[in-house]
Amino acid sequence: QKEVEQDPGPLSVPEGAIVSLNCTYSNSAFQYFMWYRQYSRKGPELLMYTYSSGNKEDGRFTAQVDKSSKYISLFIRDSQPSDSATYLCAMSERDFNKFYFGSGTKLNVKP
Amino acid sequence: ETGVTQTPRHLVMGMTNKKSLKCEQHLGHNAMYWYKQSAKKPLELMFVYSLEERVENNSVPSRFSPECPNSSHLFLHLHTLQPEDSALYLCASSQAAGTTEAFFGQGTRLTVV
């Protein structure tokens, strides 16, 4: 079983839609949860990170962590064509220089 | 500009060649990483260096050889690679242990022919 599972998509939505991206994981020791955005031919760019459970909001983006269900989500409100990219979730145990990534979900926001 | 620079951006090499990938970070971080990104697969951690010492080697074949001469530079030396080694190789850096934000370079697209 993979440490982190993520639906590869592709996910296609109209402009202005609310997008929900999700990951599940198996390691209950994960403490930090991150979302990266990767445009074509570029390296991943850190979007948001959260520690332990709860919500974090940054502009149109909201990250949620449910440790009891081992489930994390990234919501994008009022999605834009410029949001079209691959979104990767990543997780890490505390005090450990190692990141576990999902395989990424490709998002296409149509004008 | 992310503060992590990788060169070259693209590399085509034969199976008998020797080449090196270079990574440089300008963020004052103490940990650096090499990742491999193949199509439709999760990022695979290859090597971790913390304070210039290798702390993790995820059973990577010996045809990949990392070098970290100082906390700002990281190399990946390549020799006798296989076509299945073709992938995007990403370098990342982060602060010392306990900090989990990783900043990535743009990657080197490697094609082995």
Side-chain angles (χ1 to χ4, degrees), chain A residues 2 32 34 36 38 41-44 46 49 88 92-99 101-103, chain B residues 9 31 33 35 37 42-43 45 48 50 56 58 88 90 97-102 104-106:
Chain A
K2 291 180 186 176
Y32 289 90
M34 292 145 280
Y36 287 84
Q38 185 174 19
R41 303 176 189 277
K42 296 273 182 81
L46 180 66
Y49 74 96
L88 301 108
S92 176
E93 297 177 23
R94 192 185 177 114
D95 296 333
F96 196 63
N97 280 334
K98 190 169 180 178
F99 305 85
F101 284 84
S103 54
Chain B
R9 294 291 307 279
Y33 315 77
Y35 284 89
Q37 188 176 36
L43 282 172
L45 180 64
V48 180
S50 180
E56 181 81 27
N58 275 10
L88 181 67
L90 291 159
T99 303
T100 58
E101 303 164 57
F104 285 82
Q106 294 196 336

Side-chain angles (χ1 to χ4, degrees), chain A residues 23-62:
Chain A
C23 288
T24 59
Y25 63 95
S26 56
N27 184 353
S28 57
F30 287 144
Q31 296 284 339
Y32 289 90
F33 304 89
M34 292 145 280
W35 285 96
Y36 287 84
R37 177 175 60 195
Q38 185 174 19
Y39 290 113
S40 181
R41 303 176 189 277
K42 296 273 182 81
E45 166 197 13
L46 180 66
L47 265 181
M48 300 178 70
Y49 74 96
T50 54
Y51 172 67
S52 195
S53 285
N55 294 1
K56 186 172 184 178
E57 188 173 321
D58 183 3
R60 295 184 296 112
F61 298 88
T62 300

Side-chain angles (χ1 to χ4, degrees), chain B residues 86-99:
Chain B
S86 299
L88 181 67
Y89 288 84
L90 291 159
C91 171
S93 71
S94 70
Q95 292 285 2
T99 303

Side-chain angles (χ1 to χ4, degrees), chain A residues 11 13-22 35-37 39 47-48 56-64 73-88 105-109:
Chain A
L11 179 62
V13 301
E15 183 175 355
I18 296 175
V19 176
S20 173
L21 303 166
N22 312 293
W35 285 96
Y36 287 84
R37 177 175 60 195
Y39 290 113
L47 265 181
M48 300 178 70
K56 186 172 184 178
E57 188 173 321
D58 183 3
R60 295 184 296 112
F61 298 88
T62 300
Q64 284 187 354
S73 300
L74 177 71
F75 297 97
I76 308 174
R77 290 183 298 281
D78 187 25
S79 56
Q80 304 294 311
S82 58
D83 295 328
S84 298
T86 297
Y87 290 80
L88 301 108
T105 299
K106 188 169 184 179
L107 172 67
N108 180 32
V109 181

Side-chain angles (χ1 to χ4, degrees), chain B residues 63-84:
Chain B
R63 57 187 183 270
F64 296 92
S65 174
E67 179 190 0
C68 188
N70 56 61
S71 60
S72 298
H73 292 86
L74 184 65
F75 295 90
L76 187 62
H77 304 298
L78 316 170
H79 65 99
T80 59
L81 294 192
Q82 304 298 311
E84 59 266 28

